[in-house]
Every structure is written in C-alpha cells, then in structure tokens.
C-alpha cells in the first residue's frame, strides 16, 4: 500500500514538473512576441520567424538533455540545477535593447533579436521534457513516453492562457515578473523531482532496454520526416489561414494549439483518438486539398474549420507513427533530439526557404502531399477498393490509368481546355478525382498523386498561371497580388484583403478609389489641406499600397511616404502594375522601414497632416495604435496638425482604441463613416472608417465647416475601456461578434 502511494506521488511529481516547464515555454512565446510588437510589427511572417527561434532553442535544449545522459544521474541533476541558477541572471525576462541596422534583412534581425532576448532562459527550460522523462525512467523503471502527452498539455495551457488570461489582465512588466516568479517555482519543482533519483543510478536507463541496439540511419531519417512535416504544416497553416482565409488577429494561436494537442493525443496511453485520426487521415487530406487553393472570403468560418481539422488529424496520425516507432527508454533523448531537429527543418522550410522560392503559400499544398506519402499504408476498410487492388497485375495498370485520368480531369476541371469551362464540367471533374482518391485509400504514392490533381483542379492551375504571369509577389511581410478585374479596374490584394483599385477607364486613371474616395475621411482632409494648412502643406502618409493617395497632391505641397515592405514600393512604382505614382508623384519621397521607428527619426513639427493607413492583410499592427505611437505622431506633427487613422476592419472595432488613446493624450477626435452611393459603383469606391485627431480643436472645427458637420461624429471614449499602451493592450474587448 505504502509503495503504491509512493509510486503515485513520484509520477504526479514528475508530471507536474514537466507540465510546469512546458507551460512556461509556451507562455513566453506569445509574451515575447507581444513585447517585440513596437519594433517588429505583427505580420504573420514575424510570428513564423519567432517560431523558428523557439524551435532552434528547443533543439539546443534537447541536444543538451541528450549530452547530459553521459553523466551519472545525480551529477545530471547538479549540472542542470546549476545551469538553472546561472540562467537566472537574465531575469526578469524581457526584450533586448539592441536596435537593428536599417539595411539589415528583416528575417535575420528578427531572429537575432528574439534569440538574444530569451535564449538562455528558454534553453534551460526547453530541456525539461526529455530530461525529466529520462529521470522518471531512471527513478521508476516505467515507460516514460506517456509523460510527453502531459508535456504538450502544459504547452497548450500556456499558449491559451496568454491571450485569454495573461494579456488582458497584466501589463507587460507584470507579465515579465509573473514569468520570472514561475521560473523560480520551476527550479523548486526540478529540485524536488531530482531528489527521487537513486544515488547510484547511471546516466542511461538501467534496464533490459539499455542493451537494445541504437536506431539505424533509415529509421532516424523517418523520424525526421514524421516530425518535420507536421511542424511545417502548422506554420504553413498559420500563414495561409491568416492571410488567405481569415485575416483575424489571435488566429495563429489555433494552429499551434492544435499541433501541441496532436502530440498529446498521439503519445497518450489510451489510443482511441490516435487510432481514429490515423484511420480518417486520408479522407481528411482530401478535404484539405479541396481548400488548399481556395483563398476566399466566402464562408471563411467553414473553410477555417476545414483547414484546422486537416492540421490536427494529419499531425496526430503522423505523430502516432512516431509513437509506434519510439525506441527503448535508453534512446529516449536521441529520439526527442531528432524530433526537435525535424521540427526545426519544418520551421526553416516555412519561415526562410519558402518565402525565397515561392511567390505564394505553395508550401501548404506541398506539405499536404508530403503528409499523404508519410501516412501509414493501411488496407482500405471499404470492400470495393480491396477487391480492385487484390491482383498485383491489376494494381499496376489500374494505378497508371487513374494517374493519367486524374491528370486529364485536373486540366479540364482547371479550365485549361477552351470551351470546357462550365461549372457543371468542373464539378464532374473534381468529384471524379475525389472518387479516385477514395479508391486509392491505403496506397500512399497513388493517393499523393490524386491529392495533387485535386488541388490543381480546384484553382491550382489558376494560381500557377498567376505566378507564371508575374501577378504574385511575395516578401517577408506577405503575399501580394495584382490583377485586372473585368477589364475595367486593376486591383491590389493581400490575402483576402483589397489594398488598392485603379480605374482603367480612360481619363479616370488618377481618380482616387476604394477607401480613399473624395468623400471619405482622408479624401476630405486631403482635398481641403490647402485651406487648412496653406499652399505649402507638408503631408506624411504611412502605408503606400498602390499609391492611390499620391494623386491628391497639389502644387506647392511636400509629401513623404513611409512603407515597411520594399516589395510594395516596387509594385507601386511599376507603372505596368499601377500608375498612380508615375502619373502624380513620379519622384515620390519614400522612406522604407517600420513607421514608428522611421517617423521617430524625422524632425519634430515637420508635417501638417499625417495619414496612418498601415495594414497587414486586414489587421492594423497593434503597435501603431498605442499611446506611445500617438506621442510619436504628435511629435512629428505641427501644433495645429491633423492626424488621420484608417480603422476599417472586418473583425475589430477599433473606435474605442483610438478614442481611448486620444482622451489619454489630450487629443480631440472626429469619426467619418463613409458609405458610397450606389450611383458611384463605376468609380469603385468602398465604405471606410477614418478618424481625424488634432490637439487643436479649431482645426477639426474648420474641417467640419469645410465639408458638412453631419459628415463627422464626435468620437467619445468607451466607459471602462483602457487606452492601449506598449505595456498593456488586448484585442479581446474590441473583437466584433460578427464580422
């Protein structure tokens, strides 16, 4: 009885320690990314770079845990606890003060900044999961792998706790202190767990398993592939989901959370969820293939659910294969080290390699096909497929026929055959390919081929033709597309968000369009700038886009644009794409870099009108809407200057944010909600929300007088809403119930 209670106590002790370490790891990830917002912005690629840093540090921690196995158990504990104390000199955790050179590649300095900020602390905590599992095996001689499921549950809890509990209620300084205190508690838990190690235990697990041969090279390569594909698929899902499906903040939490839960399901002692996912994964992959090239705003919730379901089921199935192939406990740390290397490979592919070789998020469909090749080759449970594949001779010619027919159907369904482009023909083609996919269940090579044909049939060929024609541009900050629509307009889009329209009707090429219509808030301010500020008005614009606003310039005015992405500058300057700049401001003054950093370097009082129109897909970067940002804008503006902020958004109501900032800093604010008249459809105007702010209320009164007082509304703070600051901001209070 006493021995049973002792056993329960030991297991609980190790589970608690492992969960606590994983909780801290995944709590610090979004926390340090939030701290970095004022310097890095909030583009999805920034999060992917952050994930790459975390994976690299995780790999280093796992390598350290593996090398530590050369020492006796008690010495391992002394070394690890000593390193724990040494790393504590970097507390409280926070962002390094290092500033990157202007010419440094963003992908590189983001990696350097994050690694320098959390490297030592993250490294020592990252070693917890494999190290504590080995200690548990040394102390109890039991299978330690199910403890990895507990580790990932702790990771999931830390990830979800940040946006739901920590960020809304704690300022960044308090978050840093909270994490630092938890670090101290984790040291105590590790010490208590280490006390369970027997004094004469060797470094490796002393059991019959210790005599098992080391895993071979082929098996280790298989482990790498099985861990790399889910890791890459998680990052590719995050990028694809937040730019091409639903450009909504916080959505990156869901792919990472499901990825972590897939480990918990795959490594759990009870195999029900893992077995189910392995069984249905081929069918779910077919559903994922139907979504891979859609990139549509139609039914975004259903599309998002489909892409997330594909990530979880496929990741669980692949991780379950890893669990089935796990080595004896003697080789545990090597196994986890290779899992970490595989995760790092997937991260490198998505964060660094894919943006260089692809002009669209092609890594997502590529990883779906790779997953199809790695799924277990199970015999189909359906009777018809089993009968079709019984004969080896029949299997060869049937697979060949299906591959050739699938290719032909993808070409016809993709609209590449003139005269065969009706919706009915397309429907017949892709449903036939799906039927082929069902017949190919259990055959990995054939299944992967059918999967590719299905994706090509459903807009894949169209996306490839856009790439071939140069319509798509990809940079570190996003994927942009330029396309003609109905021969009457040229559009600029980032994911599902429209960022510019040019009217191609002769004589209207320089007409302002979209959110910048003459009767929009920014249109009114720019048209009346000569009256408000005189003939030599100085105008700054944050966010270049297609360059639409450039055509509001008047003789004698001085304009300056701020744009973070050189790829966007290239698009706006290329008259073959858009001619706003070439026609209206061919020698436009454009400053490249993050708006907050570059505006802070400009002379004080050097602008009369400052326009903030910076978006990453549909999300305005949070760090551009804090009190500190407003203070930077105020320093740049003349005393009677006017600040215009574009807050149109499908998912966030940003009016309380701007109103709260204005009230806290002593600014006056007016709101212009413009809805175009149906008679203006040919001019391609779009509804928009603009806020005009000034420290001089007389300027806003003059703006109202020059237009119409009823066009502007007084923007009042929301009772109880706290102004955003660099130290504390949460989007939960401003999320719209309905987009």
């Amino acid at each position: 009885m006493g021995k049973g209670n002792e056993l329960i106590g030991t297991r609980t002790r190790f589970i608690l320690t492992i969960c606590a370490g994983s909780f801290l790891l995944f709590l610090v990830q979004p926390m340090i990314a939030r701290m970095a917002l004022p310097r890095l912005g909030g583009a999805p690629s920034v999060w992917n770079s952050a994930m790459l840093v975390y994976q690299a540090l995780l790999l280093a921690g796992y390598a350290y845990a593996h090398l530590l196995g050369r020492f006796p158990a008690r010495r391992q504990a002394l070394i690890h606890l000593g390193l724990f104390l040494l790393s504590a000199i970097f507390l409280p955790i926070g962002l390094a003060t290092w500033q990157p050179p202007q010419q440094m590649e963003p992908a590189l300095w983001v990696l350097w900044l994050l690694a320098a900020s959390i490297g030592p602390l993250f490294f020592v905590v990252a070693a917890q999961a494999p190290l504590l599992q080995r200690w548990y095996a040394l102390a109890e001689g039991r299978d330690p792998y199910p403890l990895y499921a507990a580790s990932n549950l702790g990771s999931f809890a830390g990830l979800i706790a940040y946006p739901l509990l920590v960020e809304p209620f704690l300022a960044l300084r308090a978050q840093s202190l909270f994490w630092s205190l938890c670090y101290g508690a984790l040291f105590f838990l590790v010490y208590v767990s280490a006390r369970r190690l027997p004094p004469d235990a060797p470094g490796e697990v002393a059991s019959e398993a210790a005599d098992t041969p080391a895993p071979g090279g082929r098996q280790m390569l298989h482990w790498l592939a099985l861990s790399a594909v889910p890791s890459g698929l998680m990052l590719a899902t995050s990028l694809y989901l937040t730019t091409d499906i639903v450009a909504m903040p916080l959505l990156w939490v869901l792919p990472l959370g499901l990825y972590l839960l897939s480990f918990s399901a795959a490594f759990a002692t009870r195999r029900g969820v893992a077995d189910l996912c392995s069984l249905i994964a081929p069918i779910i992959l077919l559903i994922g293939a139907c979504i891979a090239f859609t990139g549509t705003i139609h039914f975004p919730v259903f599309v998002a659910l489909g892409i997330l379901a594909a990530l979880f089921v496929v990741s669980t199935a692949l991780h379950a294969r890893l669990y089935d192939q796990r080595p004896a406990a003697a080789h545990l740390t090597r196994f986890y080290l290779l899992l970490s290397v595989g995760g790092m490979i997937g991260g490198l592919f998505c964060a660094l390699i894919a943006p260089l070789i692809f002009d669209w998020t092609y890594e997502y469909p590529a990883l779906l096909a790779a997953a199809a090749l790695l799924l277990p080759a199970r015999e189909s449970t359906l009777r018809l497929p089993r009968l079709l594949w019984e004969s080896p001779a029949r299997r060869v010619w049937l697979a060949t026929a299906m591959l050739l027919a699938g290719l032909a159907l993808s070409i016809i369904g993709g609209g590449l055959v003139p005269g065969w482009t009706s919706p009915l023909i397309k429907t017949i083609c892709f449903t036939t390919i799906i039927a082929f996919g069902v017949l190919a269940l259990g055959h990995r090579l054939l299944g992967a081929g059918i999967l590719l044909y299905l994706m090509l049939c459903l807009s894949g060929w169209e996306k490839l033709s856009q790439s071939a024609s140069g319509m798509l541009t990809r940079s570190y900050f996003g994927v942009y597309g330029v396309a003609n629509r109905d021969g009457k307009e040229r559009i600029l889009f980032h994911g599902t968000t429209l960022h510019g329209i040019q009217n191609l009707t002769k004589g209207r090429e320089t007409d302002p369009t979209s959110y910048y219509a003459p009767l929009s808030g920014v249109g009114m301010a720019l048209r009346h700038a000569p009256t408000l500020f005189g003939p030599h008005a100085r105008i700054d614009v944050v966010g270049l886009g297609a360059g639409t606003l450039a055509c509001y310039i008047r003789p004698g005015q001085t304009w300056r644009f701020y744009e973070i992405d050189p790829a966007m500058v290239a698009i706006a300057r290329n008259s073959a794409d858009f001619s706003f700049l070439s026609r209206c401001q061919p020698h436009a003054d454009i400053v490249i870099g993050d708006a907050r950093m570059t505006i802070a370097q400009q002379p004080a009082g050097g602008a009369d009108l400052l326009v903030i129109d910076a978006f990453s897909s549909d999300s305005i970067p949070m760090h551009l809407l804090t009190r500190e940002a407003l203070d930077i804008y105020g320093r740049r503006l003349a005393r009677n200057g006017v600040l215009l902020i574009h807050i149109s958004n499908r998912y966030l109501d940003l009016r309380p944010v701007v109103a709260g900032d204005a009230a806290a800093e002593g600014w006056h604010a007016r709101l212009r909600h413009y809805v175009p008249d149906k008679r203006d459809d040919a001019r391609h105007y779009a509804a928009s929300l603009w806020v005009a702010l000034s420290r001089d209320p007389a300027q806003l009164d003059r703006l109202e007088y020059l237009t119409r007082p009823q066009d502007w509304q007084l923007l009042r703070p929301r009772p109880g809403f706290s102004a955003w600051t660099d130290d504390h901001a949460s989007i939960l209070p401003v999320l719209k119930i309905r987009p």
Side-chain angles (χ1 to χ4, degrees), residues 123-304:
F123 167 80
V124 72
V125 178
Q128 295 304 109
L131 191 59
L132 266 291
Q133 286 181 65
R134 178 164 58 193
W135 289 1
Y136 175 74
L138 288 169
E140 299 298 333
R142 304 184 67 187
D143 183 8
Y145 286 102
L147 270 65
Y148 195 57
S151 169
N152 283 279
L153 283 177
S155 300
F156 179 76
L159 181 70
I160 296 300
Y162 186 80
L164 297 183
L165 298 174
V166 177
E167 187 181 39
F169 299 109
L170 295 178
L172 287 178
R173 292 179 184 176
Q175 293 175 28
S176 176
L177 179 61
F178 171 72
W179 195 93
S180 302
L181 291 174
C182 289
Y183 182 86
L186 180 62
F187 173 83
F188 173 76
L189 289 173
V190 173
Y191 169 75
V192 171
S193 297
R195 287 180 59 85
R196 298 301 304 153
L197 290 170
D200 57 346
E204 297 294 346
V205 179
S207 67
E208 294 180 1
D211 299 326
T212 59
R218 184 173 181 178
Q219 184 177 19
M220 290 190 290
L221 286 175
H222 197 200
W223 290 347
L224 286 175
L226 288 171
S227 56
V229 170
S231 171
L233 192 61
M234 179 268 294
L235 291 174
T237 298
S238 299
L239 183 62
Y240 179 53
L241 188 63
T242 53
T243 57
D244 288 286
I245 305 297
V246 185
M248 181 179 178
L250 280 184
L251 209 58
W252 54 264
V253 171
L254 296 179
L256 180 55
L258 292 173
Y259 171 76
L260 295 173
L261 287 178
S262 73
F263 274 111
S264 296
F267 280 70
T269 305
R270 296 181 179 180
R271 311 301 300 156
V273 175
D275 291 342
L276 176 62
C277 288
S278 298
L279 181 66
I280 66 173
I283 297 295
I284 295 298
L285 270 178
L286 289 175
I287 297 175
C290 294
I291 302 170
F293 284 96
T294 54
T296 176
I297 61 173
H298 301 296
F299 311 110
V301 173
F302 295 104
V303 174

Side-chain angles (χ1 to χ4, degrees), residues 519-561:
L519 293 180
S520 66
V522 69
M524 289 179 169
L526 289 171
R527 285 190 299 116
H528 295 290
T531 305
L532 292 170
F533 310 110
H536 302 290
R538 300 162 300 173
I539 298 171
D540 284 2
V541 178
V542 173
L544 178 62
T548 312
L549 289 177
C551 290
Y552 276 110
I553 192 171
R554 295 293 179 267
Q557 293 181 349
T558 302
W559 282 55
R560 175 170 291 167
F561 293 91

